[in-house]
Amino acid sequence: MKRIAATALALACVLAMPVWAALKPGDTAPVFTAQAALDGKDYEFSLADALKKGPVVLYFFPKAFTTGCTAEAHEFAEAADQFKALGATLIGMSADDIGTLHKFSTQACSGKFPVAADPDLKVIKAYDSALIRVGSVGIADRISYVIGQDGKIVYAFSDRNPDKHVANTLAAVKALQKK
């Protein structure tokens, strides 16, 4: 019982801590490729290839089909055409397996943008977005990045509440286009 209480206390302390994106504007974004799903179909996402077309909005989310992550994906899907009109590529990433993300890409993302699987947490850790839960189950923290065509982080926003990620990244992409 003491062990459970200690674990619960440790988890509460971690969850109560403020969240900051570890990569800051001006930092070089780690280049990666990842298995992704777009409208339920396999898709290999390459950051290097996407950056050739324009800026990239990369957002990390904890777990597909949870309330906050589903709401955030719906909101990104609603704004997907705006990101595209600004020349930006949008991609979400979590530690979920690709089978789960096939379903999530059609249901929550409405087939509007890809979601990438990172079950080994390689990319999630490279972007300092790892959050470890009880039982050592790794998940991504909720962090959104805008990456400029030069491969540098232009904007980083970290908040476990999904409400402002879409509006903030869209504003950052618009500001980038004005430069």
Side-chain angles (χ1 to χ4, degrees):
M1 192 59 132
K2 287 182 184 179
R3 187 179 196 149
I4 292 171
T7 301
L9 179 60
L11 180 61
C13 289
V14 167
L15 292 176
M17 294 171 58
V19 182
W20 292 284
L23 297 181
K24 305 289 183 232
D27 289 348
T28 299
V31 178
F32 66 91
T33 59
Q35 187 179 21
L38 177 60
D39 202 16
K41 296 178 179 51
D42 283 338
Y43 170 80
E44 181 168 292
F45 179 84
S46 164
L47 179 62
D49 289 347
L51 288 172
K52 291 175 186 174
K53 301 172 191 168
V56 172
V57 175
L58 169 63
Y59 85 94
F60 294 94
F61 60 96
K63 186 84 177 122
F65 297 111
T66 57
T67 304
C69 295
T70 300
E72 182 180 33
H74 281 298
E75 194 173 340
F76 268 115
E78 289 173 2
D81 290 337
Q82 293 176 65
F83 283 108
K84 187 175 182 177
L86 293 166
T89 298
L90 172 62
I91 183 156
M93 180 173 281
S94 75
D96 290 300
D97 63 75
I98 194 65
T100 299
L101 294 179
H102 279 145
K103 294 174 195 163
F104 193 70
S105 73
T106 58
Q107 295 174 18
C109 306
S110 303
K112 296 278 193 163
F113 64 93
V115 283
D118 188 22
D120 297 331
L121 305 178
K122 289 178 184 172
V123 178
I124 291 167
K125 286 179 181 176
Y127 279 81
D128 289 328
S129 180
L131 176 67
I132 306 301
R133 295 190 335 186
V134 175
S136 298
V137 175
I139 62 171
D141 207 346
R142 191 177 313 281
I143 299 176
S144 298
Y145 292 102
V146 176
I147 305 165
Q149 272 193 279
D150 62 357
K152 303 284 185 187
I153 302 292
V154 175
Y155 178 79
F157 180 69
S158 182
D159 191 337
R160 293 206 177 110
N161 184 333
D163 292 346
K164 295 185 177 150
H165 286 263
V166 175
N168 287 358
T169 54
L170 190 56
V173 171
K174 287 177 181 177
L176 182 61
Q177 297 299 50
K178 290 180 182 178
K179 288 184 179 182

